[in-house]
Amino acid sequence: MSNRYLSWTLLAGFAVLVGIVAGLAVLRPAAVAIQSGTVLQQPRAIAAFSLNGSDGKPYTRSDLAGHWSLLYVGYTHCPDLCPTTLAQLKAVEKGLGGDAAKIRFIFLSIDPERDTPEILGQYTHYFSPDFIAVTAPKAQLDALGANLGFVYEKVPGQTPQSYLMDHSSALILIDPKARLAGYLTPPFKTENLVSDLKQLLEKFS
């Protein structure tokens, strides 16, 4: 399978996602207008799941309750997009000041073959010790992806271990009731993300 085909597959999947979100926004205008993406007026339920945390403990849907969460899908061998986004989220965390404690930043690795809990934790905590790092076997990732609306695909490299992972780049917004609340889409601007998150915290606190 060619890289071009994989790219088109991912783009098509993301286009479907954007279409669904746009359709919901037209039919049910969002209660909050944000600069960085779309907030759903009617949040969607998230099915039960169990991920492997970098701390060695299971991470489940119940861990999402009681606070807002921003989930980003990526992997530690990512050459550019993932470290750039995590560095930006670090800046967002700093920009939120005291409000940062009300939001969980979650890095979900879609490369469990290479991203052991130890490696994943070291990588994520380089950006912030408060960032949460999780992963899971492919079957669980596929089920969660279908539920949350993210896609990913393995791109073979010159050696078995030099492969890349194409993946969605949107930030997935989850509300304090552990429901899918919206998507923040690139290109990201730190000041806009901070403003949007503060607005959500203020309106729904």
Side-chain angles (χ1 to χ4, degrees):
M1 187 179 292
S2 68
N3 289 357
R4 177 175 295 181
Y5 177 80
L6 291 172
S7 297
W8 276 109
T9 299
L10 290 169
L11 285 173
F14 185 69
V16 171
L17 169 62
V18 170
I20 292 173
V21 172
L24 287 170
V26 170
L27 294 174
R28 297 180 175 180
V32 175
I34 60 173
Q35 305 170 80
S36 307
T38 301
V39 175
L40 304 180
Q41 182 180 10
Q42 184 58 52
R44 289 173 18 202
I46 297 176
F49 64 84
S50 181
L51 306 175
N52 303 322
S54 62
D55 58 1
K57 300 177 182 178
Y59 192 86
T60 68
R61 183 177 57 187
S62 64
D63 291 301
L64 297 173
H67 49 76
W68 286 89
S69 299
L70 269 185
L71 185 147
Y72 179 67
V73 174
Y75 65 115
T76 65
H77 286 72
C78 181
D80 42 34
L81 186 60
C82 298
T84 298
T85 302
L86 287 175
Q88 192 162 33
L89 290 178
K90 177 182 179 180
V92 170
E93 182 185 43
K94 181 178 180 181
L96 286 169
D99 285 334
K102 303 173 185 177
I103 300 175
R104 302 292 184 270
F105 296 88
I106 306 167
F107 182 63
L108 171 61
S109 172
I110 37 74
D111 185 17
E113 185 177 334
R114 292 180 297 193
D115 287 346
T116 64
E118 181 180 7
I119 290 174
L120 188 56
Q122 290 175 350
Y123 178 83
T124 307
H125 295 158
Y126 168 80
F127 296 94
S128 171
D130 295 321
F131 285 2
I132 296 168
V134 294
T135 189
K138 187 176 185 303
Q140 284 93 312
L141 290 174
D142 289 346
L144 188 59
N147 193 192
L148 295 182
F150 67 80
V151 293
Y152 67 96
E153 188 71 51
K154 186 175 183 178
V155 182
Q158 294 183 347
T159 66
Q161 286 299 309
S162 65
Y163 60 86
L164 298 175
M165 300 292 292
D166 281 347
H167 58 86
S168 302
S169 56
L171 295 169
I172 299 171
L173 183 65
I174 300 170
D175 73 13
K177 294 183 179 180
R179 301 175 301 181
L180 176 61
Y183 299 92
L184 308 183
T185 52
F188 300 121
K189 292 184 178 180
T190 300
E191 60 272 22
N192 290 350
L193 289 171
V194 170
S195 175
D196 290 339
L197 292 172
K198 281 182 173 291
Q199 181 185 179
L200 290 170
L201 290 172
E202 180 179 353
K203 185 172 182 63
F204 297 106
S205 59

